[in-house]
Each structure stands twice: as structure tokens, then as C-alpha cells.
Amino acid sequence: MIERRADAAINASVKAGLIILALLYAAALLAEFIAPYNYREQTRAEPSAPAAMIRFTDVNGNFHLRPFIYRSRLTNPRDLEYTEDASREYPLAFFVRGVPYDLVWLVRSDIHLFGVWGNDGETAPQVHLLGTDQLGRDRFSRLVVAMRFSLLVSPVGTILACIIGIIFGALSGYSRKGIDTAMMGVADTVIALPTLILILAARAAFPLELPPWRAATLLISIFALTGWAEMARLTRGQVVSVRDLEFITAASALGARQTRILSAHVLPNIAGPLLVQATLILPAFFLAEVALSFLGVGLQDPEPSLGNMLTSASDLTQLAEHPVLLLSPAAVIFLFVFATRLLSRGRRASVV
Amino acid sequence: MLKLIARKLLQGLLMLFVVSALTFALLSAAGGDALTALRDNPQISEATIERLRTVYGLDKPVMSRYGAWIADALRGDLGESMAFRIPVSTLVWTRFLNTLLMGLIALIMSVAASLLLAVWSVRAKSKWLDRMIEFLIFLTASTPRMVLALLALVLSLRLATGPSNYAFQLIGGAIVLAVPLISLMLAQLKNGLDEVMSEDFIRTARAKGLSEWTIITKHALRPSLSPFLTIAGLSLGGLLGGSVIVESILGWQGIGALVVSAVRGRDIPVVMGVVLIASAAVWFGNALAEVLQFANDARIRTGER
């Protein structure tokens, strides 16, 4: 009874983790649809604007069923103060037309999830859910697009590191004692290295400014080359513990080849712990990518990433004005790491 | 014991050699150096750059440059920083002491907090406390240092001290560094203690009439200390990685902030110096953890041969 309740809690935690991850990935995939504006478009008249006040009641106290915003104008350019112009309401709506984009690189569309309902000749103001950055770019749009880079780089890096680690570990577990010891010595050394500092050093070898695809390739290869060792150690330990069990002896007595034994008998039996390890590597790489972009050596402006959006949060005057707006990338980072921890917690408990 | 120390020493030297060689090769293979930026300046002629290349020895092949670097490094000379114009060893060492100070405070904080909480939970045997601790482990494991450091920055703006206050940077930074460590250490220690408490020798100790406090500190804690030390040793690399973020955000002048500016400015001698000292520090911490385990745990001592 108690066990069943514990199982249910574990299942719930895995499920919650998967749901959060699925939502984040869906948002990243449909970023252009969710983002109301182009993430690179600069509105020079509105730098560092505060978040839009979404209202239901107007200045006269009348209640509106449809939420609306007032146009806000930069009234004091020196201190970046904005004042709302209450002379006219601009209603908000779902599925409004805006800048055209290619959804999932396939479907051409100009419908956005939400926006200002502009139905007359006069240009409507923009609704900035999280305000704008110093160049007047819509921060919410940038945030949604920014997730894409981080959410792509870390899983690909994780998969590569896992492949390298599993092959290295399995080879080590099946080798003679001398070679096995030497290989594990290499893995132990790599585990003990100060990885982030080495990643930074490796990054110094390449030009600082890289186009997004090259930056992604570079980061993925660096992650794969520095992050495989723990996986290798775990795989080797698991392989050794399974190697001499009876069903493996039976398989080899039946004449199965080593590669078949490894892929059909050993690996499926040790998949559980390896999967837990993978869910531990994933957030580490995710955070490393964020850190590198934050430090200005990952993905660079004008392309948004969760890390380089936080760089502007180290601007103290900005941070003092609107902390929540600047820390919104931090919230996404927390959410992702939290979701992966939910996964590994559930998986670990179910393995042990 | 001496054999273990000798082996660790040899392993560490070998690792430092390989890591420095790899980093050096990678940094040279890419071609770019601190002088590349000078090329964009029309005021500086090609001849001047060539002369500077000879001064810094950048015109020689990689192998001989690495040979020269390691020969100098053995004598304690890591070259001169191209940006700061002072010896790399002086620069890196002063910055390293700052990082070490913050890191040590963080380590002490996390060890103290996890010991305290683990022992308390074992003594109190309350379901409510266990659940609180499990939640704490989970929360601290999910909160990245970067988020914490930014929150500390926001907090500092609300405080009277301001963000550039020395004590705030040191203590705030140490707390930020310590939080993820607490989750690791607390989980390890609590599981270890829970396991040990159901062993026979604990029942014997209870039967002898020892107080619960003596049982925990004298009998239960020692066997759970070995895996705890392993975790502490292995977490040092992450601690140094974390200090890169924390120092950059809070403006603490340690090697983490230094390596970032060196990478941006392509100050290769400084990058090499930081890699060297960071690897050496992490290796030293690991070796120390292993030696301590050896001293603490008779099971490891007799297994060693």
C-alpha cells in the first residue's frame, strides 16, 4: 500500500516533468506564432519600455469585457519615463494579423497568438508583455525565440555525450584489466577537470562572433567532448556487474556474437541507470550553454538566447527599475532545470 | 598512505601536463592571438606586428613554443599577461586567493548545513522534517547558481550596502555557491545515515546504553563520511565552474571573472595560467578527499594493497 503510494508520487513527478518540458518545447517550436512581433525589430521610439498594463477598466471607471491597453509614450527620454495616454483604448485579441513568418519552417502565416486589435487606418501601439530592451525590441518575443537555441543545443549535446560515454564505458568493461584500468583512469581525470573553465578556454580558440548555426555546432561538440566521462564510468560499472550473470553466459553458450550480446542483452538491462544519468547531464549542459551565452561567448546579439538576455540584467540601473522583467529568462531557466530534476527524481526512484 | 600520496602526485602531474598540452594545442591551432585585433588598426603597420610576434615568440612552431612555455612554467614563470602587463603567475595567484576564500566559505557553509540538517533529521525522526528536507534537497538542486546570483544582485539593490560592498560580495557569493552543494551533500549524508542507523552495531551501541547523540556522532557518522568526502571532492570542479558565473555577476575579482575577460580579450597566457591553476586546485581537492577517506575509513585502508 505504501509502496503503491510512493509509485504514484514518482509517476506524478515524471509526468509533471514531461508536461513542463513538452510545453517549453511546443512554445519554442511555435515561437514565431506565440511571439507577437519580430524579435529583431527595433522600435527606436520605445527603448526600455516597462511592461504593458493590461486593463479591464478605463479611466472613467467603465468595465470592458475585452482587455485593452493605452498607448504609452516616452515622455522623459533622459530617465526613460513613460506616460500612458488614456484618450483611447486599444483592445487586445487572440489570433491577430501581424508580421509574416514561416511556422516550423513550412507553413507561411501572419496570424499571431495575441496582439493589439488594430482595425482602423491609424497604427495601433504595440503590446509589450514584458516591456522592451534597450534597443526597443519586444522582450517577450525575444524570450520565446530565445528558448529555441538553448532547448536545441543541450539535448543534442547530451545525446552525443551519452553515445561517446556508453561506447567508451562498454569497451572498457569488456577489455583486459590493464586497458580497463587505463581507460577508467582517463575517464576519472576528465570527470575531475574544472569543466566550465576548460569549456571557456576551448571557446577562446574560436572567433568570438559566430553565426547561430556555427555557435550551436561548436557548443555541442565542446559539450560532447567534456561531458562523456561520467556516463562512461557508470556504463562500465553496470556492464561489469551484468557481464558475468547467467543469462549472458547462456547467450554466449548459444553462440551469440559479442556485439549481439552487448546490444540485445547487456544494454537493455542497464538502460535504467543510464537514462537517469542522461537526465542529470541535460540540465548541466543547458546551464553551461546559458552561462556561455551570458558571458558573451555563446550565442550573440542580435540572436536572442536565455543567457544573453540575462546579460542585460547585470545592468544595475535597469535591474533596479524592473527586476521582474529582466529576470523572466531566469524563470524559464528555473522551469527547465526543475522539470529535468522531476524526471531524474522519478526515474532514479523507479530504478533503485 | 605514502604510496597513495605518491600515486596521486604522479597522477596529478600527468594530468596537468596533458591538460596544459591539449589547451595549448587547441589555442594555437585556432590561430587567433592577442595581436590579431591589432591588424584591424590602420595605424599599426604590418612590420610592427611582425616585430611584436617575434617579441612574444609567436612566430615559432607550436611544439617549440609549448616546450618553452613548460620550461618556464616549471620555473614558476607563466609569461606576461597581454592585457594587464604584469606576470601571469602574480595575476592568477592573487585572483585565485580570492576565489579560494569564497569557495572555502561556501564549502564550510554547505558542510555545516548538511551535517546539521542530516543529524537533526536522524535524531528527530519526524516525518514532517524528513519531508521538509526532501523538499529542500529538491529545491536547491533545481535552482541554478546563475538565477540565485541574479536574485542576490536584485536583493543587494534593495539593501543599504549596495552591490559593490566587499562583505556582501563575499558572503552573498559564498551562499550562492553553497546552495547547490547543500543538495548534493545533504542527500548523500542523509541516505548514508539512514542506512547506517539500522545496522547491528548501532543496536549494540543502543543496548550498551549510549546516548543517542554519542551513537550518531561517534558511531553512525564515521562510516557515512567516506561517500560524503567523495562527493565533496568531486563537487570541486563544479564549484569552480559556479564561481565563474557568480564572480562575473557579483563582480568578485577571482579567477572565474579573470578567465572570462581573458577569453574575450584573447589573452592566451592568462587563459593557460587559469586552466593550470584551476586543474591543479581541483586535483588537489580530490587527492585530499581521498587521503582523508584513507585516514578515516579502515575498510579502505585494508582494501588498499
Side-chain angles (χ1 to χ4, degrees):
Chain A
M1 181 62 195
I2 294 165
E3 256 170 42
R4 197 175 308 151
R5 223 174 39 215
D7 273 359
I10 286 156
N11 280 337
S13 107
V14 171
K15 234 178 252 167
L18 283 178
I19 288 172
I20 297 175
L21 284 184
L23 285 177
L24 286 175
Y25 271 95
L29 203 61
L30 304 177
E32 281 98 349
F33 166 68
I34 294 170
Y37 307 106
N38 184 334
Y39 67 92
R40 296 181 68 154
E41 185 199 336
Q42 305 180 359
T43 318
R44 285 300 168 92
E46 294 178 81
S48 303
M53 290 282 290
I54 293 172
R55 297 166 185 281
F56 285 92
T57 45
D58 61 27
V59 275
N60 304 322
N62 299 327
F63 181 79
H64 294 242
L65 203 57
R66 186 181 276 285
F68 64 90
I69 57 166
Y70 286 128
R71 182 190 292 275
S72 70
R73 283 202 176 83
L74 186 61
T75 43
N76 181 352
R78 194 175 59 89
D79 297 329
L80 293 171
E81 273 168 23
Y82 284 81
T83 328
E84 284 188 322
D85 170 10
S87 62
R88 198 189 145 179
E89 296 96 42
Y90 293 91
L92 298 177
F94 283 115
F95 307 114
V96 294
R97 285 185 188 282
V99 280
Y101 58 89
D102 293 321
L103 191 65
V104 207
W105 300 282
L106 287 174
V107 190
R108 190 140 186 89
S109 165
D110 61 352
I111 307 280
H112 292 261
L113 179 62
F114 68 94
V116 177
W117 204 9
N119 50 2
D120 55 10
E122 193 204 358
T123 50
Q126 297 195 334
V127 51
H128 300 297
L129 271 193
L130 296 172
T132 62
D133 64 11
Q134 290 95 320
L135 296 174
R137 298 175 295 198
D138 182 46
R139 194 175 275 123
F140 179 76
S141 302
R142 288 183 74 71
L143 183 65
V144 185
V145 176
M147 290 198 292
R148 190 174 277 173
F149 187 75
S150 311
L151 291 184
L152 178 77
V153 167
S154 45
V156 178
T158 306
I159 291 169
L160 278 181
C162 288
I163 292 174
I164 298 178
I166 290 173
I167 291 176
F168 191 93
L171 278 180
S172 177
Y174 266 93
S175 298
R176 278 185 293 115
K177 187 150 188 309
I179 299 173
D180 180 28
T181 316
M183 284 174 91
M184 278 305 109
V186 172
D188 280 346
T189 314
V190 174
I191 290 175
L193 291 175
T195 319
L196 191 61
I197 287 184
L198 283 188
I199 290 177
L200 275 169
R203 187 62 186 80
F206 297 89
L208 270 187
E209 316 231 330
L210 287 175
W213 280 108
R214 289 211 44 206
T217 329
L218 179 64
L219 292 185
I220 288 171
S221 8
I222 294 179
F223 290 160
L225 288 178
T226 51
W228 56 271
E230 282 170 19
M231 195 54 144
R233 189 145 241 324
L234 181 72
T235 310
R236 186 248 172 207
Q238 296 285 325
V239 164
V240 167
S241 72
V242 172
R243 193 179 50 185
D244 300 325
L245 292 183
E246 274 160 6
F247 70 95
I248 303 290
T249 322
S252 68
L254 282 170
R257 271 175 296 125
Q258 282 293 334
T259 46
R260 166 143 184 93
I261 292 179
L262 200 61
S263 60
H265 299 283
V266 176
L267 281 181
N269 271 292
I270 63 176
L274 300 192
L275 215 59
V276 174
Q277 184 61 35
T279 59
L280 293 175
I281 296 177
L282 181 62
F285 284 179
F286 179 83
L287 289 175
E289 186 280 317
V290 171
L292 290 180
S293 296
F294 173 80
L295 299 169
V297 294
L299 191 65
Q300 269 133 348
D301 228 347
E303 298 303 318
S305 81
L306 294 174
N308 71 25
M309 287 186 74
L310 279 177
T311 312
S312 59
S314 358
D315 178 349
L316 287 181
T317 47
Q318 284 276 318
L319 191 61
E321 291 285 318
H322 352 264
V324 178
L325 307 186
L326 286 165
L327 294 179
S328 49
V332 177
I333 295 168
F334 176 79
L335 208 60
F336 183 85
V337 178
F338 183 72
T340 57
R341 298 276 187 233
L342 280 174
L343 278 190
S344 47
R345 172 172 172 253
R347 290 294 322 186
R348 182 163 39 211
S350 68
V351 166
V352 175
Chain B
M1 180 78 131
L2 277 175
K3 225 167 101 186
L4 174 78
I5 294 176
R7 208 184 63 216
K8 284 271 122 193
L9 210 64
L10 201 71
Q11 223 174 43
L13 286 177
L14 199 67
M15 181 207 72
L16 286 184
F17 177 73
V18 172
V19 166
S20 67
L22 280 181
T23 318
F24 201 90
L26 191 63
L27 290 177
S28 322
D33 53 54
L35 302 180
T36 318
L38 297 183
R39 290 233 161 76
D40 300 335
N41 189 339
Q43 301 266 314
I44 300 171
S45 73
E46 197 60 32
T48 319
I49 292 175
E50 279 313 311
R51 197 173 51 74
L52 281 172
R53 278 174 69 85
T54 338
V55 169
Y56 286 114
L58 293 172
D59 52 343
K60 299 199 189 75
V62 181
M63 285 305 282
S64 71
R65 262 176 11 209
Y66 181 64
W69 183 84
I70 208 145
D72 284 344
L74 285 176
R75 273 183 274 119
D77 174 15
L78 293 173
E80 189 184 76
S81 158
M82 294 177 170
F84 293 90
R85 300 262 155 225
I86 54 172
V88 170
S89 44
T90 324
L91 176 69
V92 170
W93 184 248
T94 45
R95 296 293 194 95
F96 175 69
L97 290 180
N98 281 339
T99 300
L100 190 68
L101 178 65
M102 189 188 270
L104 277 181
I105 296 179
L107 260 183
I108 293 170
M109 277 183 186
S110 44
V111 169
S114 37
L115 267 178
L116 208 72
L117 283 170
V119 170
W120 184 29
S121 86
V122 169
R123 261 194 65 83
K125 290 197 198 89
S126 115
K127 216 172 205 144
W128 181 83
L129 183 65
D130 277 0
R131 237 175 248 153
M132 278 295 292
I133 285 180
E134 202 193 332
F135 178 72
L136 186 73
I137 290 173
F138 194 64
L139 193 72
T140 47
S142 321
T143 316
R145 287 194 176 106
M146 175 179 279
V147 175
L148 284 175
L150 285 167
L151 287 179
L153 202 60
V154 173
L155 188 71
S156 79
L157 295 172
R158 302 262 179 271
L159 291 175
T161 59
S164 50
N165 180 283
Y166 181 87
F168 166 77
Q169 284 180 344
L170 181 59
I171 302 301
I175 293 176
V176 171
L177 278 181
V179 166
L181 277 185
I182 292 178
S183 88
L184 261 174
M185 294 179 168
L186 184 56
Q188 178 66 51
L189 207 55
K190 193 171 146 27
N191 288 344
L193 273 180
D194 281 348
E195 227 166 80
V196 171
M197 287 309 277
S198 54
E199 294 266 349
D200 285 343
F201 68 88
I202 297 292
R203 200 171 337 134
T204 313
R206 283 217 180 95
K208 282 199 313 195
L210 296 182
S211 76
E212 196 72 359
W213 181 249
T214 326
I215 291 174
I216 290 175
T217 50
K218 286 250 168 72
H219 297 263
L221 217 47
R222 269 190 80 176
S224 0
L225 223 53
S226 285
F228 180 69
L229 279 169
T230 311
I231 289 279
L234 284 179
S235 65
L236 290 178
L239 195 64
L240 263 181
S243 69
V244 173
I245 311 286
V246 174
E247 287 171 7
S248 302
I249 292 178
L250 296 181
W252 183 254
Q253 297 289 308
I255 53 166
L258 179 67
V259 72
V260 173
S261 67
V263 166
R264 278 189 174 158
R266 318 214 116 222
D267 199 342
I268 303 299
V270 174
V271 174
M272 285 299 293
V274 173
V275 165
L276 201 65
I277 201 164
S279 315
V282 172
W283 158 77
F284 179 78
N286 271 309
L288 189 68
E290 219 162 297
V291 170
L292 284 177
Q293 265 182 55
F294 192 81
N296 172 58
D297 202 327
R299 291 172 298 184
I300 296 176
R301 268 203 301 277
T302 44
E304 189 81 30
R305 227 163 265 288

